[in-house]
Amino acid sequence: MEIIKINIDNQQVQVPKGTTILKAAEIAGIEIPNLCFHKRLNPNSVCRVCVVEVKGESSLVSSCSYTIEKELTIYTDNERVKTARKLVLELIMSTHPNDCLLCENNGSCKLQDYAYQYEVEVFKFTRERPKYNIDKSNPFIIRDYNKCILCGRCVSICHQEQCSDIINYTHRGFDTKVSTYFDRGLEESSCAFCGQCVSVCPTGALSEKVAKGKARSWELKKVNTICPYCGCGCSIDLNVKDNQVIKVTSPENESINNGNLCVKGRFGFDFINHPERLKSPLLKDKNGNFKEISWHEAITTIASKLREIKDNYGSNAIAGLSSAKCTNEENYVFQKFMRAAIGTNNIDHCARL
Amino acid sequence: MTTKLNSTNELKNLRKKIKSSFVSKKIQITICGGTGCNAFGSKGVITSFLNEIRKRKIEDRVEILKVGCYGFCENGPIVVIKPQNIFYRHVAFEDVSEIISKTILKEEIIDRLLYIDPISGKKYTFYQDIPFFNKQKRLLLKNNPQADLIQINSYLALDGYTALEKVLDNLSPEKVINEIKEAKLCGRGGAGFPTGLKWEYCSQSYSLKKYLVCNADEGDPGAFMNRSILEGNPHLVLEGIIITAYAIGADEGYIYVRGEYPFAVEYIKAAISQAESLGLLGNNILGSNFSFSIKVKEGVGSFVCGEETALISSIEGKRGMPRVKPPYPTSKGLWEKPTVVNNVETLANVPFIINEGSEEYQNKGLNNSSGTKILAVSGRICNGGLIEVPLGTSIRYVIYDICGGLPKGRSLKAVQIGGPSGGYILPKDLDIPLDFQSLQKKGAMLGSGILSVMDETSCIVDSSLSFLDFLKDELCGQCAPCRIGIKRLHEILTKITMGEGKEEDINLLFEISNTLKDTSLCNLGKTASLPLLSALDNFLEEFKEHILYKKCKAHVCDELYTAPCSDTCPVNIEVHGYVALIAQERFMEALELIKEKNPFPSICGRVCHHPCEVRCRRREIDEAMALRALKRFVADHEIELEKKSLKPIITKHRPEQIAIIGAGPSGLAAAYHLARRGYKVTIFEALETPGGMLAVAIPDYRLPKRILRYEIEDIERLGVKIKTNTMIGKDISFSEIRANSQAVYIAIGATINSELNIPGEESKGVSPAISFLKDMNLGNKLTLGNKVAVIGGGNVAIDAARSSLRLGASEVTIVYRRAKDDMPAIHEEIIDAEEEGIKILTLTAPNKIVSDNGQVKGLECLQIELSNFFDKSGRRIPNPIPDSEFILDVDMIIPAVGQKIDSSFLKDELVLTKKGTIQINSNTGETSLPGVFAGGDAASGPATVVEAIASGNIAAISIDKYLNDGKESREVVSTGKQTILEEEPATYRRHVMPTLGKKERLTGFKEVELGFTKKMAIDEARRCLRCHEKE
């Protein structure tokens, strides 16, 4: 691999040919602000916040997409860059509702952070902006396009990662909006509600409906675990407050799924604190009504019934079906039980359905 | 014909065959089938011709051809009759039968269908004589009107596809690329990137699959050169495309055409299928190893799809949004394959370069540019349309020589070049060459080649806004600075045009514009703010006028003007108001309204240079309103009825004494307004009679003395005292005047004749105009020559000339160094002078006065040539032609080349300017001494009557404020608002001022203009368009 020497903010750095300036800066320990870039996605280069000055280029370039092909001198934070970046942020903020107090993303919003960092004048321009109704029509995702900065990450992830193309840009000019075909609700589209779009939204435009109003971002504790739903073994973070799971996210790391999740992994956790969740065993009486019994009674009943079947019809007359709503440990123990204690391989799991 | 050709030789043979049968012995009637002419109804004209020919059974002698665009669209439908090339314009189907029976059958020319040059007024019969055409150098558009080139046979007959032949026979792809590189062909779509280099990049990109895309998504507002080529000569483009594909190694291509160009789409599709059936497209073209096929993709009306990467996305079926560059399309383009995207015009140049060679192509350009460029010229221009000139031609040549300049009386404000991504070029920069680099240095851009000519009625703020208005709806919306920045710029500019702008907005405009330029993703955004930045650079004052004074001098921004006439009037008379009152026969009210601002309606009704009429919008339809005549009518009406003026409106008598030095129009106007505010005013006048220049310089036939006397008496009736024969410094000292008054207004005029500064000026028989006119007007003794030369082009010169004639001179000649259009005198005066027999020698400058024994014997003159450089006034600088001396046989010379101020008595008291005028604050009239104000010619240098009155008005208000704690003591009354006219504006033309017969005129000093009758005045007033009533 060809190695190229560059000078970035007066630091000499060596990077492989084809590295983007953003990545090179990261290697040099320099953080370049950016809104639309996401490491899981191809650069969109549309927020223009990550612009830097490359000596010899007539205008500023977007560091997320500009690849280093030859020796370069780069300034990521000189006056020209800072002025431009600040104004771009001010322009973006001029179309933003600026209601951080009420926003789900308060405290975990890049736009908010940069606005603070660059001391953005929020009322520099008129604040005229398109007004959209907040779409709460589907069970999973709240879509508030008033907060959308049109970074295009949701569009990219829907296209590149999910190959779904449910959403894209519609209209032109200032009225450009991310939307489904004919701007119908997501539930009317072929959306599978994987929530990938929510996971990459840098502002509060897309948020999890289930978490609405339940916790501020800084109150959440992330508990890392593996998604129980299928054999993929996706890494997930349970976002917990007061011992309650508020929402599920996924860490963007070296894990198998690298931040991607499906609808079940991301949204299928409502059973945990569901009031109708079974907490003790039930036995059906002769009239067909369930009756609460003790664990001892339950285990004894099941053991005697299983033994009866096994003795009369053999081990293979028994099959076990376990649930994704159990922990992996519980599932492991269950299959061990089926094979070792019952003596059958008739064991399956709902995730295979 | 549909058999495929399998070698270049077969093509050669076919061409030979077509050529031999192509020479027509018939009379050809060619009719333009371009979109412009089509819109004017050329289709109907063609049908009528076909019917008529059939009806008269002359098909064997006459044939009808639909040809490509002439680029002279506003004259459409255009019909040219060959072989003589008789050029008819605006031909309607009703004219067809007459054309056949007269022109075709009897060879008679139909006069009314001929083209009249708007500048010279000359009629042209033949196509090749029309300056608009013969001053162009057409390379690409040359064949457009020659034949019906939608037929491949016609194209072949005009040596079409010879370049392709040459390429396939002899040239390797590398050689083709080299030829294009050496030709220095640059992309004609706007950016001007070297085409050869682009091809080379693509050909060097490793890929088995490559594409060629022809960009015909011509979207710049006002550009239609691509359409014209595609409609007029589609095979030319196709030949260029095939050669390009061969050079870069592409086997597939797309032509991306605007869906709004239905004819272009139809014709190019037809051309493709013709070429396919001959084997010029498809597999193994002309039997070679080279295969290439092409598809047409119709755009759906998005401007941004003209950007090459957005266009590529659009072909791929995606939303047309630009992609980040790099990677450039030459390495990763259509479907990620190396792709060349070239503009129609660029590709159309290719066959010529291959046929004639790169050197010949370079020679077609000027000033280090090569080739030609098609330009679309529009706006305030005599001959708008499509023109083709060598790249590097000066803007001046395009505007003035080819397009005939601006319509009469209009002065150039700027040329907008490059449309929504271009900038404004000022008149002083007209000599820069039209090429990619030179324009960029001036903040403009050649772009696709749109030139929009703007005059004083174009508002720069509005123009900048209109581009943003277009872009805000056309931008793709993905990148933040462009999407939001343009919106915010648009909002700020809209606010400014509504009169709600703030001073800090200018900084905001700069800030956003610069960021837009520096950070946008694609060139649409990067260049979007260029028109605005160029406007701010060149016309910052105009922006400030909009913001600070809430004035739009171009009268475009609705909220920022009342009516063009009223706003233009130096004394701000509510012109639209008095016109409406006259139309309603409310003459006294009209007069009251005029006298609110101007104490001299009768005088100004006769001698004003009427800037109001120059800006009258009725001019756009036929002729300006006769505003000066209307003003005179109401004033005369009052005098005739002896109503003895209006009741003096004196608000409150005040004790303050005000002294005014000079009883000219400025001093008298100031006195009038001050007296009406109750001040005691005394005017000191050096001469024996009041009136200043009105009394001594203007002859009776223009301004009868009784009129002057009447209006001055009117002012005296307000209590103003006029002390004549009182010269400051002689009869009374300046300090005495100051001591006896609370405020002083100096309006001493500019009364000293400027010198000619040529030898012999001291000779007997040289009599400077002002002295001459003064002696005449005051009844002093005059010695008049027999043959008189007056030197100068202003009103004083004309007055002196016409007076000489009346006093008995047998021959009077005016000598003026510039062109007649440049003469500062009132246009009507020049016409009257010529009617009376005065000769006007223009482009002539005096060089020496020839005398014999100190007596004038003649005037030696030099001929003048106007240079290509303009002075501050926007007029060409005159240069004498060496050895062009000639002698004018005269015995009297009247120099009338301006006046100077005699400020000797003020030298030690006031600060003067370098020119010797009194230095004042032009907004208030204040001088360097507190309580002393100045105005009129003494402060401004020689100017007009109405400007002198205006400065008197300003001084009066300032003095009032000075004596009244900074406030005005009286508010101006407006009555014009209550005069809404209900009926529609009258459609007839302007009334002509009745004048005295020529014979009667020259017998004495009787007034020449006779004034309107009551009926004429009322009718004329009804012509008003009422620009002040805005919806």
Side-chain angles (χ1 to χ4, degrees), chain B residues 639-899:
Chain B
I639 296 171
E640 273 166 31
L641 291 180
E642 291 199 16
K643 283 223 171 149
K644 280 300 162 206
S645 131
L646 313 160
K647 277 183 213 113
I649 310 169
I650 297 171
T651 16
K652 185 178 115 193
H653 286 283
R654 305 187 57 126
E656 291 96 337
Q657 268 288 350
I658 294 158
I660 293 176
I661 306 173
S666 186
L668 287 166
Y672 168 81
H673 289 292
L674 286 166
R676 290 180 87 185
R677 285 166 159 84
Y679 295 99
K680 295 196 173 73
V681 185
T682 311
I683 308 180
F684 300 92
E685 168 58 49
L687 293 179
E688 59 197 76
T689 173
M693 283 290 176
L694 295 174
V696 300
I698 301 182
D700 255 23
Y701 65 86
R702 238 174 16 114
L703 176 61
K705 294 281 172 297
R706 65 180 170 91
I707 299 291
L708 177 65
R709 223 166 19 242
Y710 179 85
E711 294 203 318
I712 294 174
E713 278 166 13
D714 227 18
I715 294 170
E716 285 176 312
R717 268 192 290 278
L718 288 164
V720 173
K721 291 196 182 76
I722 303 176
K723 291 194 175 172
T724 49
N725 288 322
T726 313
M727 194 158 182
I728 314 300
K730 201 175 112 197
D731 304 310
I732 186 168
S733 74
F734 185 56
S735 49
E736 196 183 332
I737 289 179
R738 278 199 77 195
N740 293 335
S741 47
Q742 276 70 46
V744 182
Y745 178 51
I746 306 171
I748 51 173
T751 51
I752 304 177
N753 294 291
S754 298
E755 288 100 19
L756 287 169
N757 291 324
I758 56 170
E761 207 167 342
E762 65 301 326
S763 311
K764 233 173 108 190
V766 178
S767 173
I770 293 296
S771 323
F772 169 77
L773 290 167
K774 191 161 129 190
D775 286 345
M776 177 185 82
N777 275 316
L778 297 179
N780 299 342
K781 200 175 157 263
L782 274 174
T783 29
L784 190 83
N786 187 31
K787 291 179 174 174
V788 181
V790 180
I791 300 164
N795 284 319
V796 174
I798 307 270
D799 283 345
R802 291 177 73 185
S803 296
S804 311
L805 210 60
R806 282 165 172 75
L807 290 170
S810 68
E811 215 179 284
V812 181
T813 313
I814 291 176
V815 176
Y816 182 56
R817 60 185 183 141
R818 298 175 192 266
K820 204 187 275 177
D821 275 352
D822 292 332
M823 286 175 79
I826 301 174
H827 183 63
E828 295 95 313
E829 291 286 313
I830 301 171
I831 293 174
D832 280 349
E834 285 189 298
E835 259 179 35
E836 287 167 11
I838 290 165
K839 266 194 279 177
I840 301 180
L841 266 183
T842 54
L843 296 174
T844 308
N847 192 37
K848 199 166 89 184
I849 290 170
V850 186
S851 54
D852 186 9
N853 283 333
Q855 168 66 43
V856 173
K857 276 272 169 250
L859 179 65
E860 187 184 288
C861 298
L862 275 171
Q863 281 175 2
I864 295 287
E865 183 175 52
L866 291 178
S867 76
N868 273 341
F869 297 95
F870 282 46
D871 65 6
K872 275 184 199 156
S873 69
R875 298 181 297 180
R876 290 179 189 231
I877 296 172
N879 286 334
I881 302 170
D883 304 326
S884 64
E885 291 91 347
F886 66 96
I887 291 183
L888 208 62
D889 174 24
V890 292
D891 54 9
M892 181 178 182
I893 293 169
I894 306 181
V897 290
Q899 295 100 258

Side-chain angles (χ1 to χ4, degrees), chain A residues 248-274:
Chain A
V248 173
T249 55
S250 179
E252 283 153 18
N253 52 22
E254 299 305 308
S255 65
I256 179 88
N257 54 319
N258 189 23
N260 295 320
L261 283 178
C262 74
V263 59
K264 292 201 265 181
R266 194 181 308 276
F267 295 117
F269 61 92
D270 54 336
F271 66 91
I272 301 173
N273 300 315
H274 201 281

Side-chain angles (χ1 to χ4, degrees), chain A residues 2-18:
Chain A
E2 199 182 328
I3 298 293
I4 292 174
K5 272 186 269 179
I6 57 162
N7 181 318
I8 182 161
D9 292 348
N10 303 317
Q11 262 189 68
Q12 303 293 331
V13 187
Q14 297 197 346
V15 294
K17 188 179 175 186

Side-chain angles (χ1 to χ4, degrees), chain A residues 140-141 193-196 198 207-210 229 248 262-270:
Chain A
F140 304 108
I141 303 168
F193 295 101
C194 60
Q196 290 277 71
V198 182
S207 58
E208 296 90 346
K209 198 172 193 176
V210 65
Y229 275 109
V248 173
C262 74
V263 59
K264 292 201 265 181
R266 194 181 308 276
F267 295 117
F269 61 92
D270 54 336

Side-chain angles (χ1 to χ4, degrees), chain A residues 91-276:
Chain A
L91 286 170
I92 294 174
M93 282 306 285
S94 77
T95 66
H96 202 71
N98 201 17
D99 58 350
C100 298
L101 281 177
L102 302 171
C103 182
E104 279 305 299
N105 261 32
N106 190 5
S108 61
C109 171
K110 280 177 125 183
L111 181 60
Q112 192 183 42
D113 295 344
Y114 297 144
Y116 178 75
Q117 188 186 334
Y118 282 85
E119 298 179 31
V120 157
E121 277 181 62
V122 176
F123 295 100
K124 189 167 189 169
F125 306 109
T126 56
R127 302 192 42 77
E128 201 206 310
R129 59 192 173 84
K131 301 272 190 308
Y132 302 115
N133 291 329
I134 301 174
D135 175 19
K136 296 178 183 169
S137 58
N138 71 75
F140 304 108
I141 303 168
I142 298 178
R143 299 157 76 215
D144 181 359
Y145 285 114
N146 298 302
K147 291 177 184 165
C148 175
I149 57 166
L150 290 164
C151 69
R153 284 178 177 192
C154 53
V155 176
S156 297
I157 203 159
C158 196
H159 171 72
Q160 291 168 27
E161 295 285 311
Q162 297 304 118
C163 302
S164 293
D165 291 309
I166 303 300
I167 44 173
N168 206 332
Y169 291 103
T170 54
H171 302 290
R172 256 187 264 170
F174 193 62
D175 299 324
T176 305
K177 186 196 172 196
V178 172
S179 144
T180 58
Y181 289 110
F182 301 109
D183 208 4
R184 314 294 278 265
L186 282 176
E187 71 285 1
E188 285 187 56
S189 71
S190 46
C191 175
F193 295 101
C194 60
Q196 290 277 71
C197 49
V198 182
S199 78
V200 291
C201 181
T203 69
L206 300 174
S207 58
E208 296 90 346
K209 198 172 193 176
V210 65
K212 176 88 183 155
K214 295 214 175 115
R216 314 293 344 212
S217 60
W218 54 87
E219 296 173 324
L220 291 169
K221 194 181 143 206
K222 286 190 175 176
V223 180
N224 186 249
T225 181
I226 302 292
C227 174
Y229 275 109
C230 75
C232 290
C234 293
S235 191
I236 57 172
D237 280 336
L238 301 176
N239 289 237
V240 179
K241 180 194 172 190
D242 298 339
N243 226 13
Q244 301 260 314
V245 178
I246 305 296
K247 63 179 178 184
V248 173
T249 55
S250 179
E252 283 153 18
N253 52 22
E254 299 305 308
S255 65
I256 179 88
N257 54 319
N258 189 23
N260 295 320
L261 283 178
C262 74
V263 59
K264 292 201 265 181
R266 194 181 308 276
F267 295 117
F269 61 92
D270 54 336
F271 66 91
I272 301 173
N273 300 315
H274 201 281
E276 288 177 18

Side-chain angles (χ1 to χ4, degrees), chain B residues 186-474:
Chain B
C186 289
R188 298 294 195 245
F193 188 81
T195 306
L197 214 55
K198 194 187 252 188
W199 292 8
E200 193 172 67
Y201 289 155
C202 183
S203 85
Q204 286 168 357
S205 286
Y206 178 75
S207 171
L208 292 175
K209 183 87 188 171
K210 287 174 189 172
Y211 291 100
L212 169 67
V213 176
C214 167
N215 186 348
D217 192 50
E218 186 174 49
D220 276 350
F224 57 109
M225 47 286 280
N226 289 354
R227 187 187 74 200
S228 176
I229 305 175
L230 281 175
E231 285 178 358
N233 202 348
H235 281 287
L236 178 69
V237 183
L238 213 51
E239 189 177 356
I241 288 175
I242 300 167
I243 295 169
T244 309
Y246 172 81
I248 61 167
D251 65 346
E252 219 179 311
Y254 285 87
I255 302 176
Y256 191 97
V257 202
R258 288 187 76 173
E260 296 93 327
Y261 285 176
F263 297 121
V265 172
E266 188 189 325
Y267 298 163
I268 193 74
K269 278 185 177 168
I272 290 172
S273 76
Q274 290 165 6
E276 276 169 351
S277 59
L278 274 188
L280 299 170
L281 271 174
N283 288 334
N284 301 88
I285 292 171
L286 293 179
S288 70
N289 290 328
F290 169 56
S291 300
F292 178 71
S293 66
I294 192 146
K295 292 192 188 83
V296 173
K297 162 93 184 165
E298 286 170 53
V300 287
S302 163
F303 174 68
V304 74
C305 284
E307 198 280 339
E308 56 178 358
T309 56
L311 186 148
I312 286 172
S313 294
S314 178
I315 295 178
E316 290 174 358
K318 296 176 186 146
R319 181 180 160 91
M321 292 201 294
R323 302 172 184 177
V324 201
K325 290 192 275 193
Y328 292 94
T330 45
S331 58
K332 235 178 180 186
L334 188 57
W335 286 298
E336 311 252 296
K337 302 293 179 209
T339 304
V340 160
V341 183
N342 273 152
N343 173 265
V344 170
E345 197 183 328
T346 316
L347 293 166
N349 276 300
V350 172
F352 181 89
I353 298 172
I354 299 296
N355 275 331
E356 309 292 329
S358 52
E359 206 171 309
E360 184 58 31
Y361 185 74
Q362 283 194 41
N363 292 340
K364 292 283 174 191
L366 285 175
N367 300 319
N368 296 327
S369 298
S370 50
T372 59
K373 177 82 192 86
I374 307 178
L375 306 167
V377 187
S378 63
R380 190 69 73 172
I381 188 89
C382 283
N383 292 325
L386 220 50
I387 62 160
E388 187 175 348
V389 288
L391 200 60
T393 304
S394 78
I395 306 171
R396 187 186 312 284
Y397 188 81
V398 170
I399 302 281
Y400 287 97
D401 293 85
I402 297 176
C403 295
L406 283 74
K408 264 211 172 81
R410 301 293 186 185
S411 58
L412 181 69
K413 182 172 182 176
V415 185
Q416 208 282 345
I417 302 183
S421 41
Y424 301 86
I425 296 291
L426 297 182
K428 69 177 172 60
D429 294 326
L430 284 186
D431 291 302
I432 63 168
L434 279 160
D435 63 39
F436 295 98
Q437 294 78 23
S438 312
L439 287 170
Q440 235 155 25
K441 277 187 214 144
K442 289 283 170 196
M445 192 164 130
L446 184 54
S448 51
I450 328 163
L451 268 73
S452 174
V453 183
M454 305 168 88
D455 70 351
E456 69 277 9
T457 61
S458 315
C459 168
I460 295 292
V461 184
D462 181 73
S463 159
S464 326
L465 176 63
S466 68
F467 289 122
L468 293 168
D469 203 44
F470 170 75
L471 289 175
K472 87 173 180 1
D473 298 327
E474 289 295 341

